[in-house]
Amino acid sequence: MTRIVAAMSGGVDSSVAAALLTRDAAQRGDEVVGVWMRTHEVDGEGWEARRSCCSPDSADDARRVAQILGIPFFILNVERAFGLQVIDAFADAYLAGATPNPCQACNQHIKFDELLRRGLGAYGAGAVATGHYARIDRQGDKWRLLRAADADKDQTYFLWVLSQEQLAATRFPLGEMRKPEVRALAARLELPTADTPESQEICFVPAGDYRTLLAERRGYDGEPGPIVDGDGKVVGSHTGYAHYTVGQRHGLGVALGEAVYVREVQPETNTLVVGRRGEIAQSRFEVSGAQFVAGEPPRERFAASVRIRHRAPDVACEVRLLAGDRFAVETAEPVWAPAPGQGAVLYDGEVCLGGGRIARPRAAVA
């Protein structure tokens, strides 16, 4: 018998994933345990009328679903790990001139590290299951991470951080389903989460204003500094470099006869470099923190496709390994605003090869 920990957020996806596991458990002789993770406080100004995967309402919904399915339900407190690995890392990335991706960090350090480690220990589990839209299979002695059947919901962009050991102990019950099918099944099962709306916000940033978090978490209120063009000419001023991200257009207060965007954030000099649209799209960039799903890259130089944002299209590219944990990407066509800190995820058809985080231009590093 395998005990499977089903991560239940209180949303429709994780609820249906738990339901599918429970349905199949009797046939396979498995046991399913529902776990809701408490990641952070949701009290205080800015949280009113908000609902996130971490709110008390979501915990109640997850508990109700577990009762309907007839499975044990537990609450796992991961606040300390989440605070260090996700929230603090989020704030520190902005202060370093990068644009963080907290969902990737949460998957890497919480859902598929903290939960898996504690699930196998505290609950005697052999596997963890989530409501992610992705698939896993095995080819030879290697586990592969594959795109979901529903291309519109595919979440492999957030999962490239998973190792072979983590994939071996992970289940994605929704990998072959499409979102309308998931909601329809939830309705047939009369789950209270059937009509739960999609969450589009960062769960720990009230009202979507991360500047408040920077002030509270790191004491950063911003200091005015120069905005310069590509030639170094001062064309305006900003309220604090960490309040801006690469590709941003609004809130600059700069008029150069056409729209301008943030091209580079330079923490060392508290400077923003801006450029016109044609200067923001890039065909070459470097990536650090490389990690490959198979445990190693296909070759020292190989063709692939790359995605630099969750909703962005894949672009054909050539990848060349560099020293350390870096690789260079050259795309067949320019991609819009490769932002340092964001994930650059590599694919070979439906197979997610791995990825890394876009690095700041070397010339900008002190």
Side-chain angles (χ1 to χ4, degrees), residues 214-227:
L214 292 180
E216 294 176 350
R217 205 81 177 184
R218 290 293 184 260
Y220 179 85
D221 293 316
E223 179 183 349
I227 299 177

Side-chain angles (χ1 to χ4, degrees), residues 58-327:
S58 294
D60 290 342
D61 285 347
R63 182 182 288 107
R64 290 165 60 199
V65 170
Q67 290 174 343
I68 292 171
L69 300 179
I71 62 175
F73 179 78
F74 301 93
I75 291 180
L76 180 63
N77 191 317
V78 294
E79 286 187 62
R80 183 176 183 278
F82 190 88
L84 292 172
Q85 303 282 6
V86 181
I87 302 179
D88 283 349
F90 177 89
D92 290 342
Y94 274 112
L95 295 180
T99 304
N101 193 314
C103 291
Q104 288 180 345
C106 182
N107 283 320
Q108 181 177 17
H109 300 296
I110 307 301
K111 293 179 181 176
F112 297 98
D113 185 358
E114 191 76 10
L115 178 61
L116 189 59
R117 178 175 57 81
R118 294 174 66 172
L120 269 59
Y123 307 116
V128 164
T130 73
H132 285 94
Y133 287 83
R135 295 178 295 146
I136 300 172
D137 76 357
R138 188 167 185 171
Q139 188 175 72
D141 63 347
K142 296 289 187 181
W143 294 95
R144 300 193 304 170
L145 177 62
L146 308 177
R147 300 181 199 260
D150 189 338
D152 291 333
K153 295 298 297 180
D154 175 63
Q155 291 175 299
T156 52
Y157 178 78
F158 300 114
L159 300 171
W160 62 270
V161 291
L162 299 185
S163 67
Q164 285 288 296
E165 292 76 16
Q166 290 169 326
L167 286 174
T170 297
R171 308 285 186 272
F172 292 135
L174 306 187
E176 299 291 347
M177 299 184 69
R178 300 183 183 279
K179 185 70 177 213
E181 297 173 321
V182 171
R183 287 204 180 275
L185 179 55
R188 289 199 302 272
L189 296 174
E190 299 183 347
L191 300 181
T193 56
D195 296 319
T196 301
E198 299 282 328
S199 176
Q200 302 294 333
E201 298 175 317
I202 299 172
C203 67
F204 55 86
V205 180
D209 185 4
Y210 73 88
R211 292 174 297 181
T212 300
L213 184 140
L214 292 180
E216 294 176 350
R217 205 81 177 184
R218 290 293 184 260
Y220 179 85
D221 293 316
E223 179 183 349
I227 299 177
V228 304
D229 63 16
D231 296 323
K233 178 183 176 182
V234 176
V235 296
S237 63
H238 60 76
T239 61
Y241 73 89
H243 294 161
Y244 304 83
T245 61
V246 170
Q248 180 174 334
R249 173 183 175 185
H250 298 290
L252 296 178
V254 174
L256 299 181
E258 60 181 290
V260 295
Y261 306 80
V262 176
R263 179 177 177 179
E264 189 179 326
V265 178
Q266 297 182 350
E268 300 82 7
T269 58
N270 191 30
T271 300
L272 296 184
V273 181
V274 297
R276 293 170 175 81
R277 186 174 184 86
E279 300 175 86
I280 308 303
Q282 303 290 322
S283 296
R284 297 180 180 85
F285 54 88
E286 290 188 11
V287 176
S288 62
Q291 184 171 319
F292 292 91
V293 174
E296 57 187 10
R299 289 172 298 280
E300 185 174 343
R301 185 188 294 263
F302 58 94
S305 63
V306 64
R307 179 181 296 178
I308 65 168
R309 291 180 184 83
H310 175 42
R311 296 296 184 187
D314 292 7
V315 177
C317 68
E318 183 175 287
V319 179
R320 178 171 53 86
L321 300 186
L322 303 174
D325 63 352
R326 299 173 74 97
F327 61 81

Side-chain angles (χ1 to χ4, degrees), residues 339-362:
Q342 288 285 285
V345 183
L346 304 173
Y347 294 88
D348 179 6
E350 67 174 358
V351 181
C352 178
L353 299 174
R357 291 180 173 83
I358 298 170
R360 290 181 61 204
R362 289 182 183 268

